Amino acid sequence: NAGVTQTPKFRVLKTGQSMTLLCAQDMNHEYMYWYRQDPGMGLRLIHYSVGEGTTAKGEVPDGYNVSRLKKQNFLLGLESAAPSQTSVYFCASSYLRRDYEQYFGPGTRLTVT
Amino acid sequence: SQQGEEDPQALSIQEGENATMNCSYKTSINNLQWYRQNSGRGLVHLILIRSNEREKHSGRLRVTLDTSKKSSSLLITASRAADTASYFCATASNDYKLSFGAGTTVTVRA
């Protein structure tokens, strides 16, 4: 099993550009999450999904949109990138509830200039 | 917002020594989890301890939970160079949210 995979691994954007980060999991997990990790801040939840076709806001949702059209995929979109969105983005999934063990992808390092 | 706060922020030890890090939190929890993150990688789940448990072991890892003090500790015994990583506690609140702390960076010197 590949577990949780993320595409791309690195990306540099100019302010105002848009992009989509793709997350895929092959563990048949219902729950999926997008986090951002900034130095000294720990992980902060951006959006999450409790199943195919559902999405919900996390702690820091502004400037991001998500979609979960298929159970195995969770997409994170930035419509108009800002320097404040420079971060490392992690996707994760869990089998049942949000407070169960979460499986993380390798991360996407995004720089917005 | 961070529920758990790890202490210390950084720790440097000699190979073979034990490493202890602590996590304190503010509100009641369902469970507390510890994760490891190697440089440039994603987080890896280490251990989950439920609110009605006081101690749990997994290999060289020992986790304790004191709900009266709202604190947990992670002990790594007989450390190895491969244990060099950041360690995060994550607290699961009664509404099932999982909140991560800022982490403890552990360096194991050869």
Side-chain angles (χ1 to χ4, degrees):
Chain A
N1 289 349
V4 179
T5 58
Q6 292 182 232
T7 310
K9 288 187 169 51
F10 302 93
R11 185 74 187 265
V12 178
L13 287 179
K14 293 189 188 308
T15 298
Q17 287 184 322
S18 63
M19 77 164 294
T20 301
L21 283 68
L22 171 64
C23 175
Q25 53 95 3
D26 61 1
M27 297 173 283
N28 202 34
H29 285 172
E30 291 293 336
Y31 284 68
M32 296 187 75
Y33 316 84
W34 276 107
Y35 291 92
R36 59 178 289 173
Q37 185 178 36
D38 301 292
M41 299 286 289
L43 272 76
R44 290 183 292 170
L45 183 65
I46 303 171
H47 286 282
Y48 65 99
S49 168
V50 304
E52 182 179 311
T54 75
T55 63
K57 292 181 181 180
E59 191 185 343
V60 288
D62 294 341
Y64 306 94
N65 56 74
V66 288
S67 64
R68 182 110 180 260
L69 299 179
K70 293 183 180 180
K71 185 176 184 179
Q72 62 267 34
N73 295 339
F74 195 28
L75 279 63
L76 177 72
L78 285 74
E79 290 184 345
S80 179
S84 60
Q85 294 177 305
T86 293
S87 187
V88 181
Y89 291 87
F90 289 99
C91 176
S93 69
S94 64
Y95 179 50
L96 289 174
R97 294 194 327 231
R98 292 165 57 186
D99 59 344
Y100 279 29
E101 171 184 353
Q102 294 191 11
Y103 294 78
F104 283 80
T108 295
R109 185 173 293 275
L110 175 67
T111 302
V112 182
T113 60
Chain B
S1 59
Q2 289 170 222
Q3 154 82 305
E5 290 189 9
E6 293 93 340
D7 173 64
Q9 287 187 326
L11 184 59
S12 179
I13 56 173
Q14 203 73 29
E15 205 165 18
E17 292 181 338
N18 296 343
T20 300
M21 60 211 84
N22 303 297
C23 173
S24 59
Y25 57 92
K26 296 187 175 74
T27 61
S28 61
I29 58 172
N30 281 340
N31 68 63
L32 187 145
Q33 303 174 32
W34 286 91
Y35 289 79
R36 183 188 73 232
Q37 184 180 33
N38 291 94
S39 181
R41 302 287 186 94
L43 278 72
V44 174
H45 184 268
L46 295 176
I47 201 163
L48 181 154
I49 186 165
R50 302 189 191 285
S51 59
N52 61 354
E53 297 175 311
R54 290 297 164 256
E55 189 170 312
K56 214 161 179 183
H57 295 255
S58 177
R60 293 184 295 113
L61 305 179
R62 172 177 167 252
V63 169
T64 62
L65 179 64
D66 187 335
T67 53
S68 67
K69 294 182 179 178
K70 291 187 170 58
S71 68
S72 172
S73 68
L74 170 66
L75 168 68
I76 306 172
T77 59
S79 62
R80 305 167 181 168
D83 295 327
T84 293
S86 293
Y87 293 82
F88 296 86
C89 74
T91 52
S93 54
N94 293 336
D95 58 355
Y96 310 131
K97 289 180 185 174
L98 197 63
S99 299
F100 289 83
T104 293
T105 300
V106 175
T107 303
V108 181
R109 307 186 306 272

PDB file of all heavy atoms in Angstrom, chain B residues 71-104:
ATOM      1  N   SER B  71      -1.493  16.559  31.982  1.00  0.00           N
ATOM      2  CA  SER B  71      -0.158  16.446  31.405  1.00  0.00           C
ATOM      3  C   SER B  71       0.143  15.009  31.012  1.00  0.00           C
ATOM      4  O   SER B  71      -0.436  14.049  31.542  1.00  0.00           O
ATOM      5  CB  SER B  71       0.902  16.953  32.382  1.00  0.00           C
ATOM      6  OG  SER B  71       0.995  16.087  33.481  1.00  0.00           O
ATOM      7  N   SER B  72       1.066  14.892  30.067  1.00  0.00           N
ATOM      8  CA  SER B  72       1.516  13.589  29.585  1.00  0.00           C
ATOM      9  C   SER B  72       3.026  13.656  29.388  1.00  0.00           C
ATOM     10  O   SER B  72       3.588  14.737  29.172  1.00  0.00           O
ATOM     11  CB  SER B  72       0.833  13.258  28.258  1.00  0.00           C
ATOM     12  OG  SER B  72       1.378  12.081  27.673  1.00  0.00           O
ATOM     13  N   SER B  73       3.670  12.519  29.460  1.00  0.00           N
ATOM     14  CA  SER B  73       5.100  12.480  29.159  1.00  0.00           C
ATOM     15  C   SER B  73       5.395  11.326  28.219  1.00  0.00           C
ATOM     16  O   SER B  73       4.707  10.299  28.232  1.00  0.00           O
ATOM     17  CB  SER B  73       5.926  12.335  30.441  1.00  0.00           C
ATOM     18  OG  SER B  73       5.710  11.065  31.006  1.00  0.00           O
ATOM     19  N   LEU B  74       6.382  11.546  27.370  1.00  0.00           N
ATOM     20  CA  LEU B  74       6.869  10.512  26.457  1.00  0.00           C
ATOM     21  C   LEU B  74       8.322  10.241  26.816  1.00  0.00           C
ATOM     22  O   LEU B  74       9.145  11.161  26.827  1.00  0.00           O
ATOM     23  CB  LEU B  74       6.762  10.975  25.006  1.00  0.00           C
ATOM     24  CG  LEU B  74       7.452  10.100  23.950  1.00  0.00           C
ATOM     25  CD1 LEU B  74       6.776   8.739  23.852  1.00  0.00           C
ATOM     26  CD2 LEU B  74       7.444  10.784  22.583  1.00  0.00           C
ATOM     27  N   LEU B  75       8.626   8.997  27.114  1.00  0.00           N
ATOM     28  CA  LEU B  75       9.985   8.574  27.429  1.00  0.00           C
ATOM     29  C   LEU B  75      10.480   7.655  26.329  1.00  0.00           C
ATOM     30  O   LEU B  75       9.806   6.695  25.968  1.00  0.00           O
ATOM     31  CB  LEU B  75      10.013   7.827  28.767  1.00  0.00           C
ATOM     32  CG  LEU B  75      11.301   7.071  29.113  1.00  0.00           C
ATOM     33  CD1 LEU B  75      12.446   8.055  29.360  1.00  0.00           C
ATOM     34  CD2 LEU B  75      11.096   6.170  30.321  1.00  0.00           C
ATOM     35  N   ILE B  76      11.640   7.990  25.775  1.00  0.00           N
ATOM     36  CA  ILE B  76      12.302   7.108  24.810  1.00  0.00           C
ATOM     37  C   ILE B  76      13.524   6.542  25.521  1.00  0.00           C
ATOM     38  O   ILE B  76      14.416   7.292  25.933  1.00  0.00           O
ATOM     39  CB  ILE B  76      12.750   7.868  23.540  1.00  0.00           C
ATOM     40  CG1 ILE B  76      11.574   8.615  22.916  1.00  0.00           C
ATOM     41  CG2 ILE B  76      13.367   6.905  22.537  1.00  0.00           C
ATOM     42  CD1 ILE B  76      11.971   9.544  21.785  1.00  0.00           C
ATOM     43  N   THR B  77      13.573   5.246  25.680  1.00  0.00           N
ATOM     44  CA  THR B  77      14.711   4.641  26.382  1.00  0.00           C
ATOM     45  C   THR B  77      15.792   4.222  25.392  1.00  0.00           C
ATOM     46  O   THR B  77      15.521   3.939  24.223  1.00  0.00           O
ATOM     47  CB  THR B  77      14.264   3.412  27.179  1.00  0.00           C
ATOM     48  OG1 THR B  77      13.685   2.456  26.275  1.00  0.00           O
ATOM     49  CG2 THR B  77      13.238   3.778  28.234  1.00  0.00           C
ATOM     50  N   ALA B  78      17.045   4.215  25.882  1.00  0.00           N
ATOM     51  CA  ALA B  78      18.195   3.759  25.089  1.00  0.00           C
ATOM     52  C   ALA B  78      18.172   4.364  23.698  1.00  0.00           C
ATOM     53  O   ALA B  78      18.107   3.655  22.683  1.00  0.00           O
ATOM     54  CB  ALA B  78      18.196   2.230  25.022  1.00  0.00           C
ATOM     55  N   SER B  79      18.222   5.684  23.629  1.00  0.00           N
ATOM     56  CA  SER B  79      18.038   6.392  22.354  1.00  0.00           C
ATOM     57  C   SER B  79      19.094   6.006  21.318  1.00  0.00           C
ATOM     58  O   SER B  79      20.221   5.635  21.648  1.00  0.00           O
ATOM     59  CB  SER B  79      18.052   7.901  22.579  1.00  0.00           C
ATOM     60  OG  SER B  79      19.308   8.283  23.105  1.00  0.00           O
ATOM     61  N   ARG B  80      18.683   6.137  20.072  1.00  0.00           N
ATOM     62  CA  ARG B  80      19.543   5.834  18.917  1.00  0.00           C
ATOM     63  C   ARG B  80      19.571   7.038  18.007  1.00  0.00           C
ATOM     64  O   ARG B  80      18.702   7.901  18.097  1.00  0.00           O
ATOM     65  CB  ARG B  80      18.964   4.638  18.144  1.00  0.00           C
ATOM     66  CG  ARG B  80      18.740   3.403  18.981  1.00  0.00           C
ATOM     67  CD  ARG B  80      17.883   2.407  18.237  1.00  0.00           C
ATOM     68  NE  ARG B  80      17.627   1.204  19.022  1.00  0.00           N
ATOM     69  CZ  ARG B  80      16.736   0.273  18.704  1.00  0.00           C
ATOM     70  NH1 ARG B  80      16.017   0.400  17.603  1.00  0.00           N
ATOM     71  NH2 ARG B  80      16.572  -0.779  19.477  1.00  0.00           N
ATOM     72  N   ALA B  81      20.524   7.096  17.114  1.00  0.00           N
ATOM     73  CA  ALA B  81      20.624   8.210  16.166  1.00  0.00           C
ATOM     74  C   ALA B  81      19.334   8.347  15.355  1.00  0.00           C
ATOM     75  O   ALA B  81      18.905   9.452  15.029  1.00  0.00           O
ATOM     76  CB  ALA B  81      21.817   8.009  15.239  1.00  0.00           C
ATOM     77  N   ALA B  82      18.686   7.213  15.067  1.00  0.00           N
ATOM     78  CA  ALA B  82      17.451   7.234  14.273  1.00  0.00           C
ATOM     79  C   ALA B  82      16.288   7.867  15.022  1.00  0.00           C
ATOM     80  O   ALA B  82      15.251   8.173  14.413  1.00  0.00           O
ATOM     81  CB  ALA B  82      17.078   5.808  13.862  1.00  0.00           C
ATOM     82  N   ASP B  83      16.432   8.100  16.339  1.00  0.00           N
ATOM     83  CA  ASP B  83      15.371   8.753  17.101  1.00  0.00           C
ATOM     84  C   ASP B  83      15.410  10.271  16.941  1.00  0.00           C
ATOM     85  O   ASP B  83      14.523  10.972  17.437  1.00  0.00           O
ATOM     86  CB  ASP B  83      15.495   8.409  18.591  1.00  0.00           C
ATOM     87  CG  ASP B  83      15.262   6.930  18.862  1.00  0.00           C
ATOM     88  OD1 ASP B  83      14.452   6.311  18.138  1.00  0.00           O
ATOM     89  OD2 ASP B  83      15.902   6.391  19.796  1.00  0.00           O
ATOM     90  N   THR B  84      16.453  10.790  16.293  1.00  0.00           N
ATOM     91  CA  THR B  84      16.534  12.231  16.024  1.00  0.00           C
ATOM     92  C   THR B  84      15.346  12.637  15.172  1.00  0.00           C
ATOM     93  O   THR B  84      15.169  12.147  14.050  1.00  0.00           O
ATOM     94  CB  THR B  84      17.843  12.573  15.294  1.00  0.00           C
ATOM     95  OG1 THR B  84      18.944  12.334  16.179  1.00  0.00           O
ATOM     96  CG2 THR B  84      17.859  14.020  14.834  1.00  0.00           C
ATOM     97  N   ALA B  85      14.503  13.526  15.719  1.00  0.00           N
ATOM     98  CA  ALA B  85      13.255  13.898  15.062  1.00  0.00           C
ATOM     99  C   ALA B  85      12.554  14.938  15.922  1.00  0.00           C
ATOM    100  O   ALA B  85      13.017  15.269  17.011  1.00  0.00           O
ATOM    101  CB  ALA B  85      12.348  12.672  14.885  1.00  0.00           C
ATOM    102  N   SER B  86      11.437  15.436  15.429  1.00  0.00           N
ATOM    103  CA  SER B  86      10.549  16.256  16.245  1.00  0.00           C
ATOM    104  C   SER B  86       9.396  15.386  16.714  1.00  0.00           C
ATOM    105  O   SER B  86       8.896  14.539  15.954  1.00  0.00           O
ATOM    106  CB  SER B  86      10.007  17.437  15.448  1.00  0.00           C
ATOM    107  OG  SER B  86      11.046  18.341  15.136  1.00  0.00           O
ATOM    108  N   TYR B  87       8.986  15.607  17.952  1.00  0.00           N
ATOM    109  CA  TYR B  87       7.919  14.807  18.551  1.00  0.00           C
ATOM    110  C   TYR B  87       6.778  15.741  18.940  1.00  0.00           C
ATOM    111  O   TYR B  87       6.993  16.777  19.570  1.00  0.00           O
ATOM    112  CB  TYR B  87       8.446  14.044  19.776  1.00  0.00           C
ATOM    113  CG  TYR B  87       9.447  12.993  19.381  1.00  0.00           C
ATOM    114  CD1 TYR B  87      10.777  13.331  19.142  1.00  0.00           C
ATOM    115  CD2 TYR B  87       9.062  11.672  19.205  1.00  0.00           C
ATOM    116  CE1 TYR B  87      11.696  12.369  18.746  1.00  0.00           C
ATOM    117  CE2 TYR B  87       9.968  10.699  18.823  1.00  0.00           C
ATOM    118  CZ  TYR B  87      11.287  11.060  18.582  1.00  0.00           C
ATOM    119  OH  TYR B  87      12.201  10.107  18.182  1.00  0.00           O
ATOM    120  N   PHE B  88       5.571  15.357  18.528  1.00  0.00           N
ATOM    121  CA  PHE B  88       4.395  16.185  18.754  1.00  0.00           C
ATOM    122  C   PHE B  88       3.373  15.437  19.589  1.00  0.00           C
ATOM    123  O   PHE B  88       3.128  14.242  19.357  1.00  0.00           O
ATOM    124  CB  PHE B  88       3.736  16.555  17.419  1.00  0.00           C
ATOM    125  CG  PHE B  88       4.576  17.408  16.528  1.00  0.00           C
ATOM    126  CD1 PHE B  88       5.492  16.843  15.659  1.00  0.00           C
ATOM    127  CD2 PHE B  88       4.454  18.793  16.550  1.00  0.00           C
ATOM    128  CE1 PHE B  88       6.277  17.620  14.831  1.00  0.00           C
ATOM    129  CE2 PHE B  88       5.225  19.586  15.724  1.00  0.00           C
ATOM    130  CZ  PHE B  88       6.144  19.004  14.865  1.00  0.00           C
ATOM    131  N   CYS B  89       2.784  16.137  20.541  1.00  0.00           N
ATOM    132  CA  CYS B  89       1.611  15.563  21.184  1.00  0.00           C
ATOM    133  C   CYS B  89       0.374  16.158  20.524  1.00  0.00           C
ATOM    134  O   CYS B  89       0.388  17.290  20.043  1.00  0.00           O
ATOM    135  CB  CYS B  89       1.605  15.800  22.690  1.00  0.00           C
ATOM    136  SG  CYS B  89       1.209  17.474  23.233  1.00  0.00           S
ATOM    137  N   ALA B  90      -0.674  15.372  20.475  1.00  0.00           N
ATOM    138  CA  ALA B  90      -1.945  15.799  19.901  1.00  0.00           C
ATOM    139  C   ALA B  90      -3.050  15.400  20.860  1.00  0.00           C
ATOM    140  O   ALA B  90      -3.115  14.239  21.283  1.00  0.00           O
ATOM    141  CB  ALA B  90      -2.168  15.166  18.528  1.00  0.00           C
ATOM    142  N   THR B  91      -3.888  16.350  21.218  1.00  0.00           N
ATOM    143  CA  THR B  91      -4.957  16.067  22.168  1.00  0.00           C
ATOM    144  C   THR B  91      -6.297  16.001  21.437  1.00  0.00           C
ATOM    145  O   THR B  91      -6.597  16.853  20.583  1.00  0.00           O
ATOM    146  CB  THR B  91      -5.023  17.154  23.250  1.00  0.00           C
ATOM    147  OG1 THR B  91      -5.074  18.443  22.628  1.00  0.00           O
ATOM    148  CG2 THR B  91      -3.815  17.093  24.156  1.00  0.00           C
ATOM    149  N   ALA B  92      -7.069  14.984  21.766  1.00  0.00           N
ATOM    150  CA  ALA B  92      -8.388  14.799  21.177  1.00  0.00           C
ATOM    151  C   ALA B  92      -9.429  15.231  22.194  1.00  0.00           C
ATOM    152  O   ALA B  92      -9.560  14.611  23.248  1.00  0.00           O
ATOM    153  CB  ALA B  92      -8.590  13.338  20.795  1.00  0.00           C
ATOM    154  N   SER B  93     -10.148  16.275  21.861  1.00  0.00           N
ATOM    155  CA  SER B  93     -11.128  16.826  22.803  1.00  0.00           C
ATOM    156  C   SER B  93     -12.456  16.087  22.680  1.00  0.00           C
ATOM    157  O   SER B  93     -12.630  15.221  21.824  1.00  0.00           O
ATOM    158  CB  SER B  93     -11.323  18.317  22.538  1.00  0.00           C
ATOM    159  OG  SER B  93     -11.661  18.535  21.193  1.00  0.00           O
ATOM    160  N   ASN B  94     -13.403  16.451  23.536  1.00  0.00           N
ATOM    161  CA  ASN B  94     -14.690  15.748  23.581  1.00  0.00           C
ATOM    162  C   ASN B  94     -15.510  15.925  22.305  1.00  0.00           C
ATOM    163  O   ASN B  94     -16.443  15.154  22.058  1.00  0.00           O
ATOM    164  CB  ASN B  94     -15.498  16.221  24.789  1.00  0.00           C
ATOM    165  CG  ASN B  94     -14.846  15.791  26.092  1.00  0.00           C
ATOM    166  OD1 ASN B  94     -14.095  14.823  26.137  1.00  0.00           O
ATOM    167  ND2 ASN B  94     -15.118  16.522  27.160  1.00  0.00           N
ATOM    168  N   ASP B  95     -15.190  16.946  21.508  1.00  0.00           N
ATOM    169  CA  ASP B  95     -15.888  17.112  20.229  1.00  0.00           C
ATOM    170  C   ASP B  95     -15.078  16.499  19.082  1.00  0.00           C
ATOM    171  O   ASP B  95     -15.275  16.863  17.924  1.00  0.00           O
ATOM    172  CB  ASP B  95     -16.181  18.581  19.956  1.00  0.00           C
ATOM    173  CG  ASP B  95     -14.929  19.444  19.925  1.00  0.00           C
ATOM    174  OD1 ASP B  95     -13.839  18.917  20.206  1.00  0.00           O
ATOM    175  OD2 ASP B  95     -15.042  20.635  19.619  1.00  0.00           O
ATOM    176  N   TYR B  96     -14.166  15.595  19.422  1.00  0.00           N
ATOM    177  CA  TYR B  96     -13.400  14.789  18.475  1.00  0.00           C
ATOM    178  C   TYR B  96     -12.335  15.569  17.711  1.00  0.00           C
ATOM    179  O   TYR B  96     -11.687  15.016  16.834  1.00  0.00           O
ATOM    180  CB  TYR B  96     -14.301  14.069  17.475  1.00  0.00           C
ATOM    181  CG  TYR B  96     -15.430  13.311  18.122  1.00  0.00           C
ATOM    182  CD1 TYR B  96     -16.734  13.447  17.664  1.00  0.00           C
ATOM    183  CD2 TYR B  96     -15.192  12.474  19.193  1.00  0.00           C
ATOM    184  CE1 TYR B  96     -17.766  12.757  18.268  1.00  0.00           C
ATOM    185  CE2 TYR B  96     -16.217  11.786  19.806  1.00  0.00           C
ATOM    186  CZ  TYR B  96     -17.510  11.930  19.340  1.00  0.00           C
ATOM    187  OH  TYR B  96     -18.535  11.250  19.935  1.00  0.00           O
ATOM    188  N   LYS B  97     -12.125  16.834  18.034  1.00  0.00           N
ATOM    189  CA  LYS B  97     -11.075  17.585  17.345  1.00  0.00           C
ATOM    190  C   LYS B  97      -9.719  17.127  17.846  1.00  0.00           C
ATOM    191  O   LYS B  97      -9.539  16.843  19.030  1.00  0.00           O
ATOM    192  CB  LYS B  97     -11.225  19.084  17.626  1.00  0.00           C
ATOM    193  CG  LYS B  97     -12.408  19.712  16.943  1.00  0.00           C
ATOM    194  CD  LYS B  97     -12.467  21.199  17.275  1.00  0.00           C
ATOM    195  CE  LYS B  97     -13.734  21.821  16.699  1.00  0.00           C
ATOM    196  NZ  LYS B  97     -13.896  23.225  17.128  1.00  0.00           N
ATOM    197  N   LEU B  98      -8.747  17.077  16.937  1.00  0.00           N
ATOM    198  CA  LEU B  98      -7.375  16.713  17.292  1.00  0.00           C
ATOM    199  C   LEU B  98      -6.520  17.958  17.142  1.00  0.00           C
ATOM    200  O   LEU B  98      -6.463  18.540  16.060  1.00  0.00           O
ATOM    201  CB  LEU B  98      -6.884  15.597  16.373  1.00  0.00           C
ATOM    202  CG  LEU B  98      -5.650  14.830  16.826  1.00  0.00           C
ATOM    203  CD1 LEU B  98      -5.918  14.089  18.124  1.00  0.00           C
ATOM    204  CD2 LEU B  98      -5.221  13.851  15.739  1.00  0.00           C
ATOM    205  N   SER B  99      -5.878  18.398  18.237  1.00  0.00           N
ATOM    206  CA  SER B  99      -5.074  19.620  18.220  1.00  0.00           C
ATOM    207  C   SER B  99      -3.626  19.269  18.512  1.00  0.00           C
ATOM    208  O   SER B  99      -3.332  18.583  19.490  1.00  0.00           O
ATOM    209  CB  SER B  99      -5.569  20.607  19.274  1.00  0.00           C
ATOM    210  OG  SER B  99      -6.902  20.965  19.016  1.00  0.00           O
ATOM    211  N   PHE B 100      -2.719  19.774  17.661  1.00  0.00           N
ATOM    212  CA  PHE B 100      -1.299  19.464  17.778  1.00  0.00           C
ATOM    213  C   PHE B 100      -0.547  20.580  18.489  1.00  0.00           C
ATOM    214  O   PHE B 100      -0.824  21.761  18.279  1.00  0.00           O
ATOM    215  CB  PHE B 100      -0.695  19.266  16.385  1.00  0.00           C
ATOM    216  CG  PHE B 100      -1.133  18.009  15.714  1.00  0.00           C
ATOM    217  CD1 PHE B 100      -2.337  17.957  15.027  1.00  0.00           C
ATOM    218  CD2 PHE B 100      -0.342  16.867  15.750  1.00  0.00           C
ATOM    219  CE1 PHE B 100      -2.755  16.788  14.400  1.00  0.00           C
ATOM    220  CE2 PHE B 100      -0.749  15.696  15.124  1.00  0.00           C
ATOM    221  CZ  PHE B 100      -1.958  15.661  14.455  1.00  0.00           C
ATOM    222  N   GLY B 101       0.448  20.194  19.264  1.00  0.00           N
ATOM    223  CA  GLY B 101       1.354  21.155  19.857  1.00  0.00           C
ATOM    224  C   GLY B 101       2.449  21.539  18.873  1.00  0.00           C
ATOM    225  O   GLY B 101       2.477  21.060  17.735  1.00  0.00           O
ATOM    226  N   ALA B 102       3.360  22.399  19.324  1.00  0.00           N
ATOM    227  CA  ALA B 102       4.420  22.910  18.449  1.00  0.00           C
ATOM    228  C   ALA B 102       5.617  21.958  18.368  1.00  0.00           C
ATOM    229  O   ALA B 102       6.488  22.137  17.525  1.00  0.00           O
ATOM    230  CB  ALA B 102       4.881  24.282  18.908  1.00  0.00           C
ATOM    231  N   GLY B 103       5.683  20.969  19.251  1.00  0.00           N
ATOM    232  CA  GLY B 103       6.687  19.915  19.130  1.00  0.00           C
ATOM    233  C   GLY B 103       7.938  20.121  19.959  1.00  0.00           C
ATOM    234  O   GLY B 103       8.275  21.235  20.376  1.00  0.00           O
ATOM    235  N   THR B 104       8.619  19.007  20.211  1.00  0.00           N
ATOM    236  CA  THR B 104       9.943  18.990  20.846  1.00  0.00           C
ATOM    237  C   THR B 104      10.924  18.417  19.840  1.00  0.00           C
ATOM    238  O   THR B 104      10.691  17.331  19.295  1.00  0.00           O
ATOM    239  CB  THR B 104       9.952  18.098  22.106  1.00  0.00           C
ATOM    240  OG1 THR B 104       9.141  18.684  23.117  1.00  0.00           O
ATOM    241  CG2 THR B 104      11.371  17.917  22.641  1.00  0.00           C
TER     242      THR B 104
END
